[in-house]
Each structure stands twice: as C-alpha cells, then as structure tokens.
Amino acid sequence: MNDLHRQPGMLALELEGLGFRHRDQVLLRDVNLRLPSGSRTIILGPNGAGKSLLMRLCHGLLQPTWGRVRWAGSDIQRAEAARLRQAMVFQRPVLLRRSALANIEYALSLRGLGRRARRARAIEALEHFGLGHLAARAARVLSGGEQQRLALARAWALEPEILFLDEPTSALDPAATKAVEDAVMDFHRNGTQIVMTTHDLGQAHRLAEQVVFLFQGSVLEHTPVEGFFSRPVSRQAQAFLAGELVW
Amino acid sequence: MPSGDNAFMTALQLIVGLDQTLVGIVLLSLQVSLGAVAIAAVLGLPLGAAIALWRFPGRGLLITLLNAFMGLPPVVAGLMVYLMLSRAGPLGSFGLLFTPTAMVIAQCLLVLPIIAALCRQVVEDLWQEYEEQLRSLGTSRGRAIPTLLWDGRFSLLTAVLAGFGRASAEVGAVLIVGGNIDGVTRVMTTAIALETSRGDLPLALGLGIVLMLLVALVNGAAYLVGESARRRAG
C-alpha cells in the first residue's frame, strides 16, 4: 500500500503568511512554515494557541483570512482534489451509523473505487488495524479505542500522502494510545507525511521529528525534536515544557 | 336512536364481521393517507436536508414559512387544492376534483411541511457533528444529503410518523376536495363526521375504533422496527 510515486520536495506543505481572524479576534498570525514530504511534525502549544485551527487550515477545512497553504504545487483552498489525497483523524472520531466495514467503504466510494475494490481494500485496512473480527459490527457501538482505530483504518484505506491528527489520543486509555502511536509510525513507514497535535509531551517526544511550538496564534519555534526538548529557545516554550501555565 | 352501549356493541359487530362498507372506507383511508405520506416523504426529506445544508438568501424566510405551514388548517389546505383543481382552476382540465387523487394531493400539502421542517432540524444537527469529517473525506453537499438522511433515519422515522398522524387525523381537507362521496371518496374521518350528524352512531363508533387501532398499529410497528435497528446500529 501507499506505494505512490512521489517526488520529495514537490509535496512539501508550505504555509505562507497564514493568518486567521474570527470576528475581531486574530487567532493565528503570519505563520510561515515548510513541512517537507514524509516528515513527522508535532504541533505543540497550550490550549487555545491555535493548533487545531492551524491543521484545519492546512487541510482546507477552513479558509484563511490572510496568506495561503500550498501543497503539491497547488493552493489547497482552491483544490478540492488535493484534499482527496490527504486524510484527517479527529479527537473524537465521527463514524457513520453503519457497520465498521461500510464506514471504510463509504470513504472509498468517494474516491470512485468500484464495489469489489472497495470491499477488498476495506477488509485489508480493518485487518491491518486488528479490527477484522469487528467488520460487521455497527461502528457506533465499538469502544472508544476501537472507534479511533477504525478512524485510522479508514484513513489508511485512503492511502493519504499526508495525514493530519488532532489530539487523537486525548480520550483514550494507555493501550489504545499505544495502538494509535504504532499506527502513526506505520503510516510514516509507508511514506505518509504526519502532522499531529497533542498535549502529551512524552508522545510528542516519541513521535516527532520536528516540533512546531505555537503560542497565542504565532509560531515561536520550529525545530528538530531533540533541540526543542533540550534547548527550547523562547521563554514561553521553556515555561510550557516546565509545566508552568503560560499566558 | 340507539343508546351508547348498543352503539358500541353494534360497532364491534361491524368490525368483527368485516362489514363491506366499513372495510371499503378503511382501505380507501389507508390508501389516501399512506400515499400522501409516501409522496410527502420522498419530496420532503431531500428538501429538508437541502435547506439544512445550503445557505442562500431567503433561507430564514423559507424555514419560517415551513414551520408556519406545519400548523396549516386542513380546511385551508383543502380550499387551496379545491381552487387549483376546480373546473375554473389552473389544473381544472385534469378533472381531479372529488377523486381520491385530489385527497392525496391535499393531504400531501398538509404533511410535506411537517416532514420537511422536522427533517431540516434533524439534518442540521447531524451536519454540525459530521461536517468536518465528511468534508475531510471529500463528501460534496449533494452527496451528503443521502448520507445524512440515512444516518438520521431513526429520528426521521418519527418525523414521517408525525406526518402520518396528521394525515390520518384530518377531516377538513379530504372533505372539501373529496366531497365524501359514498363508495368513491368517503374515508374514515369524513364518514365519522357524517354518520355522527346523521345519528348512525354504530358505524361512526366502529370507524373511530378502527382508526385509532390503525394509527396505533402503524406507530407500534414503526417503533419496533426503529428500536431493533437502532440497537443494532448504535
């Protein structure tokens, strides 16, 4: 799976002067980032820093007030087709009132896959995430951990080139959290670029190659993970890592 | 004139003995009301979903109108359809007045706003929950309509039942456009009104009992089907 031919560099996610205003409040300002294809980026920051907002802008779910998001050579806001090559896993998985298998098949049908191919790939994805025995079960009656794994399996079946994850483990127990982390690394091994937010610093340390630190809507740091945890530059990041409340 | 008790016994005899007149009236009633609800659901569910998903000028007005029409008096609906279908009316050439078809149209007019308005609310709430995920998956708004209708099927069943309740209970609209013609357009509610005023209480009472039983039966069946499906789908 995921053996799409890619040209590294071409697929980098580039944010240019990105900003977002809601009513009179500027929630995100002047974000300039370049996240290379195939990389693992963790976005850190206190509550309300704009992490989820930044990912939604990157995924094209929201329109920026200023600037733009460029991916695969096109402006994500104007290219609906580009979003079909991406996937997003949310904090609380949204699953349809149908079987686990049908949830994945639904997503694949939007990619124009035929019935046979849909079924085969959906089963493969379920089995990859250890959900094969739950294929016929209604998605809504699965446990929280199983639901999140199903959301990951759905994303997996789509073979995204970039996967956004918005605090995917914040409501899960340690075992389910580990399953999600393993899945993230699995995606990465298959060449999928990862962009994820989390409040779990240990998790950030385990999963990140690079860290983007957001504070009050601005990017204060964008560094390799080791540098961020051992030598944070900004006062805010130091306070954040020390567990002190930053305003 | 028979006393209340006698009327009740005679009514039960009519029901148990499957009295021809009574059966004919019951069947026509079911045909008209179920037909009207079916058409109203086919039109009203996608309409309600579309209003929920799209933003357009005049949307607020349309929603207000739809909600207001939920309380449309049946006699007014009947009058409107009567004017449309009467010989001098714009659809007069079809000769539909005083036929069961006219009654279906009138009841449809009563039921459609209920189904569409309730459906709009259900789908709008669902869309709040699903929008980001569905857009992330690449669902267009047009494609989202059947998806959301299917996911809201349990709540929407209630909306359709509310429509059926209104259709089976109303008398004004079918009376005006149907004319309560014996053997042609006489349904349960119009017959009950007529027989009561004529003093034939057994038939009126028998019809009343059957009407209540049928409504209870339809609702009970829908509840059972809905509950078992809901348990399976979560």
Side-chain angles (χ1 to χ4, degrees):
Chain A
M1 285 183 105
N2 285 8
D3 50 357
L4 304 150
H5 48 94
R6 286 171 195 165
Q7 298 151 288
M10 274 294 289
L11 284 177
L13 185 66
E14 291 171 299
L15 318 182
E16 297 168 2
L18 200 66
F20 188 84
R21 185 179 58 200
H22 181 65
R23 306 225 167 93
D24 288 336
Q25 251 190 318
V26 177
L27 300 177
L28 208 63
R29 63 173 68 78
D30 198 29
V31 175
N32 292 287
L33 283 175
R34 187 170 186 286
L35 306 176
S37 129
S39 62
R40 296 194 307 270
T41 307
I42 301 281
I43 303 172
L44 289 176
N47 284 323
K51 304 184 294 295
S52 298
L53 174 63
L54 180 61
M55 290 222 291
R56 278 162 176 75
L57 288 167
C58 290
H59 193 29
L61 292 177
L62 289 172
Q63 298 288 325
T65 313
W66 306 283
R68 60 180 179 165
V69 178
R70 286 173 59 80
W71 185 68
S74 59
D75 191 332
I76 191 82
Q77 263 70 37
R78 283 191 225 111
E80 287 278 319
R83 203 184 309 139
L84 292 179
R85 292 157 56 196
Q86 308 179 338
M88 183 155 177
V89 170
F90 296 85
Q91 185 174 359
R92 222 179 59 74
V94 179
L95 300 168
L96 301 175
R97 277 195 186 84
R98 47 186 89 189
S99 71
L101 184 69
N103 261 279
I104 300 182
E105 287 181 329
Y106 175 82
L108 290 171
S109 73
L110 298 169
R111 304 298 199 273
L113 249 74
R115 193 175 292 271
R116 273 243 187 91
R118 283 209 293 269
R119 175 62 49 97
R121 208 195 287 183
I123 289 174
E124 189 190 344
L126 281 176
E127 273 166 3
H128 187 89
F129 287 87
L131 295 168
H133 60 296
L134 300 175
R137 198 79 74 76
R140 293 288 189 114
V141 301
L142 299 177
S143 74
E146 287 166 344
Q147 291 201 14
Q148 195 58 292
R149 262 193 292 156
L150 177 55
L152 282 160
R154 178 170 59 187
W156 177 267
L158 300 176
E159 302 183 342
E161 291 163 49
I162 180 164
L163 175 67
F164 298 99
L165 303 106
D166 188 11
E167 295 183 33
T169 61
S170 62
L172 301 182
D173 64 25
T177 299
K178 171 135 193 343
V180 170
E181 289 184 13
D182 290 347
V184 169
M185 294 309 281
D186 235 9
F187 270 101
H188 174 72
R189 268 192 296 278
N190 275 284
T192 301
Q193 180 178 353
I194 305 290
V195 179
M196 173 169 161
T197 65
T198 181
H199 278 299
D200 180 341
L201 294 179
Q203 183 173 65
H205 209 151
R206 286 191 293 278
L207 294 180
E209 284 173 353
Q210 46 180 309
V211 170
V212 170
F213 181 69
L214 262 181
F215 184 79
Q216 291 181 355
S218 298
V219 174
L220 296 190
E221 310 208 12
H222 177 205
T223 50
V225 64
E226 285 311 326
F228 179 78
F229 281 100
S230 56
R231 299 176 302 280
V233 180
S234 63
R235 184 178 51 79
Q236 289 90 339
Q238 287 162 13
F240 178 75
L241 288 175
E244 294 158 19
L245 208 54
V246 262
W247 298 97
Chain B
M1 204 169 145
S3 76
D5 268 358
N6 280 341
F8 188 71
M9 290 312 292
T10 322
L12 286 183
Q13 279 165 13
L14 284 175
I15 297 169
V16 174
L18 291 177
D19 179 77
Q20 278 305 303
T21 321
L22 187 117
V23 169
I25 292 174
V26 168
L27 286 182
L28 181 64
S29 301
L30 275 180
Q31 223 177 322
V32 168
S33 292
L34 288 177
V37 170
I39 295 170
V42 166
L43 298 174
L45 292 176
L47 176 69
I51 297 171
L53 295 189
W54 271 280
R55 298 285 173 275
F56 50 89
R59 180 173 177 271
L61 185 69
L62 184 61
I63 291 172
T64 311
L65 271 179
L66 218 47
N67 288 341
F69 267 64
M70 286 205 285
L72 182 68
V75 282
V76 176
L79 179 62
M80 282 157 61
V81 175
Y82 183 94
L83 291 174
M84 297 291 283
L85 298 183
S86 69
R87 237 162 239 286
L91 303 175
S93 55
F94 293 102
L96 289 175
L97 200 60
F98 305 128
T99 65
T101 308
M103 296 155 79
V104 171
I105 294 172
Q107 289 205 336
C108 198
L109 195 65
L110 288 172
V111 175
L112 184 77
I114 294 185
I115 292 182
L118 294 178
C119 174
R120 183 205 54 91
Q121 193 61 58
V122 167
V123 170
E124 207 162 289
D125 292 346
L126 268 184
W127 185 237
Q128 286 242 326
E129 187 190 342
Y130 287 20
E131 179 179 1
E132 285 195 326
Q133 181 69 69
L134 288 185
R135 285 182 52 213
S136 169
L137 291 175
T139 316
S140 64
R141 274 169 208 265
R143 178 67 197 258
I145 289 180
T147 305
L148 293 170
L149 287 180
W150 181 244
D151 261 57
R153 57 196 180 274
F154 305 123
S155 312
L156 293 174
L157 183 63
T158 310
V160 173
L161 284 179
F164 176 70
R166 180 149 161 97
S168 55
E170 74 88 19
V171 51
V174 281
L175 184 62
I176 292 180
V177 303
N180 196 23
I181 302 165
D182 195 6
V184 184
T185 59
R186 182 162 298 171
V187 289
M188 284 191 274
T189 53
T190 57
I192 290 170
L194 176 72
E195 302 305 339
T196 305
S197 65
R198 279 211 311 218
D200 186 356
L201 294 185
L203 187 54
L205 205 54
L207 285 164
I209 293 168
V210 173
L211 181 56
M212 289 200 310
L213 282 178
L214 279 177
V215 171
L217 205 69
V218 168
N219 278 278
Y223 177 78
L224 284 180
V225 170
E227 274 307 295
S228 72
R230 191 198 300 268
R231 257 197 306 279
R232 269 182 279 117

